[in-house]
Amino acid sequence: MAVLPKLLVFVWVSTIALSVLAFQQTQPELPIVISTWAFVDAVRAAAQHVIKEGGSAVNAVVRGCTVCEVLQCDGSVGYGGSPDEAGETTLDAMVMDGTAMDVGAVGALRSVKRAIETARLVMEHTEHTLLVGSQASAFSLSLGLPGPTNLSTDDSLQAWSQWEKGGCQPNFWRDVIPDSTSACGPYKVSALMSGQGDRSRVGGGISGKHRKSSFSKATGYGNHDTISMAVIDRVRIFFNFVFIECSDACCGLILHQVSVDSDACFDDLLVGDGAIVGASAYADDDVGACGATGDGDVMMRFLPCYQVVESMRQGMTPEEAAKDSIARIRRKFPAFIGAVFAMNKYGVHAGACHGWIFQYTVQDSAMADAVVFTVKPDVL
């Protein structure tokens, strides 16, 4: 296969890795690891396994994600993440094999830290795709994963307490009484509101559906909800996603791992886009893979990663596919905050974002260390 011509690459040294603002890639050397955000330690761990030890992609993403769970990357991955309205932290996770198109997912997982492993067990040892709540926990414990254990920490409980004292702001309730923009629940729907609301009001989306602005959720560094890691070994594409209950989602394939915090939204019993195939991640080894981060409640409606992969199937480059996917959401929800990375089956990658500056980290066989790529939004 011909090597793409080398073009100028601008780099500088940061304290954690090389950071790249503008680039044109040469053909990457497989295996390759890619992750949302500057989670360098997680990428290094996955790369160590798949590149230096010759391990499988699925084991690499589990190892990489586990590192981030233990480190609680950005305070938004794994146990101790943002709790729900009752002060409890729960986890979502998804694994998708981009070769066999097998999927395993868990939602609202309680009392078990190893959500990634649980999703993998669902994929490998059941005919199911998704287990949720107490059944997901019982399944995990029955197969010998450690637990039950408390997923809350002093920090997460303190965050919940401060959120409650602050009038339960922000939250994802709307059109309820008392007014959810200034008061805590329990909330009710009045007789006047129930089924009678004017759904044509101008809101966060062109559809007119009333929606609080994504910017009111203060989504940003340390509050972006997701690590999404993808690994291509020399055999298959694999994604794995992990999500902390409360808002956005994660999902994965044998090339990809994602872990999402709750976007600090504190909702009860939420299963986010992390458990939904095509929303926060998707992979097909005939084409490539995608990982997403941001407002998963919106992503779930557009299946941006499925769109990315299908666009690449139709001939778009990873950069074109990523930008197109984000643009589709932006047209309907101008206040949307989110990002995707796209990678084709040869390891060529790109990112696109809206509402924030996005970073993703890569390490392939030719790299001595992980490299952090920075992506700016096309529309400010």
Side-chain angles (χ1 to χ4, degrees):
M1 181 175 299
V3 177
L4 298 177
K6 293 184 178 180
L7 297 179
L8 186 59
V9 179
F10 297 91
V11 301
W12 70 90
V13 176
S14 71
T15 57
I16 56 176
L18 294 177
S19 183
V20 179
L21 275 180
F23 66 94
Q24 294 288 337
Q25 299 173 28
T26 60
Q27 190 83 11
E29 292 190 15
L30 303 182
I32 186 172
V33 179
I34 184 171
S35 169
T36 52
W37 306 110
F39 296 143
V40 177
D41 288 335
V43 170
R44 286 170 177 160
Q48 171 70 27
H49 181 74
V50 73
I51 296 174
K52 298 183 180 180
E53 299 173 7
S56 69
V58 59
N59 289 334
V61 294
V62 170
R63 180 177 294 190
C65 185
T66 298
V67 167
C68 230
E69 286 182 326
V70 172
L71 296 177
Q72 297 174 293
C73 292
D74 277 5
S76 66
V77 178
Y79 74 98
S82 301
D84 60 22
E85 289 183 345
E88 181 182 12
T89 294
T90 60
L91 305 174
D92 294 354
M94 178 168 60
V95 176
M96 180 176 180
D97 182 338
T99 300
M101 307 307 284
D102 286 334
V103 177
V106 292
L109 179 68
R110 289 184 165 89
S111 305
V112 177
K113 288 184 177 181
R114 292 163 63 175
I116 304 166
E117 286 281 4
T118 304
R120 179 181 180 176
L121 290 173
V122 173
M123 180 181 73
E124 294 181 344
H125 298 289
T126 80
E127 296 291 336
H128 298 302
T129 294
L130 172 64
L131 299 179
V132 299
S134 59
Q135 290 187 349
S137 301
F139 168 80
S140 178
L141 296 173
S142 74
L143 292 183
L145 291 185
T149 187
N150 186 1
L151 300 181
S152 299
T153 62
D154 290 343
D155 287 341
S156 69
L157 292 176
Q158 182 179 8
W160 170 72
S161 178
Q162 292 175 344
W163 170 82
E164 194 173 42
K165 291 176 182 178
C168 302
Q169 302 302 309
N171 62 66
F172 283 82
W173 290 92
R174 69 182 185 201
D175 298 337
V176 292
I177 51 176
D179 183 358
S180 63
T181 64
S182 59
C184 295
Y187 302 107
K188 296 181 179 179
V189 178
S190 73
L192 292 176
M193 290 179 177
S194 181
Q196 304 298 321
D198 179 4
R199 308 308 292 176
S200 66
R201 292 179 298 176
V202 176
I206 293 175
S207 64
K209 189 173 184 180
H210 178 59
R211 179 175 175 80
K212 296 176 183 177
S213 168
S214 293
F215 293 101
S216 69
K217 303 172 202 172
T219 307
Y221 179 80
N223 186 27
H224 47 66
D225 73 40
T226 306
I227 173 177
S228 176
M229 179 180 291
V231 177
I232 301 177
D233 59 22
R234 291 185 173 86
V235 178
R236 62 171 65 180
I237 294 178
F238 183 87
F239 276 86
N240 185 342
F241 228 138
V242 177
F243 168 71
I244 296 182
E245 129 85 49
C246 190
S247 148
D248 289 343
C250 355
C251 59
L253 299 91
I254 293 183
L255 164 60
H256 182 285
Q257 147 77 44
V258 177
S259 178
V260 178
D261 182 19
S262 60
D263 202 86
C265 63
F266 306 98
D267 284 342
D268 279 322
L269 298 178
L270 171 70
V271 175
D273 64 329
I276 307 302
V277 179
S280 288
Y282 194 75
D284 184 332
D285 69 349
D286 290 333
V287 183
C290 167
T293 180
D295 188 343
D297 287 309
V298 171
M299 290 179 176
M300 194 183 301
R301 305 169 193 181
F302 291 83
L303 298 180
C305 277
Y306 176 80
Q307 182 65 55
V308 164
V309 173
E310 290 308 304
S311 293
M312 290 193 294
R313 191 191 306 276
Q314 298 303 317
M316 285 190 183
T317 66
E319 182 178 7
E320 291 169 341
K323 289 184 176 181
D324 174 74
S325 181
I326 291 296
R328 289 169 183 262
I329 304 174
R330 185 178 64 237
R331 283 194 291 269
K332 296 291 186 179
F333 289 88
F336 165 74
I337 297 176
V340 298
F341 67 71
M343 178 164 61
N344 67 20
K345 64 182 179 181
Y346 305 112
V348 177
H349 53 83
C353 60
H354 181 67
W356 57 8
I357 294 175
F358 171 55
Q359 291 184 312
Y360 67 95
T361 305
V362 177
Q363 186 170 355
D364 69 22
S365 296
M367 295 176 177
D369 198 1
V371 175
V372 178
F373 293 82
T374 299
V375 181
K376 294 184 178 180
D378 286 340
V379 178
L380 298 179

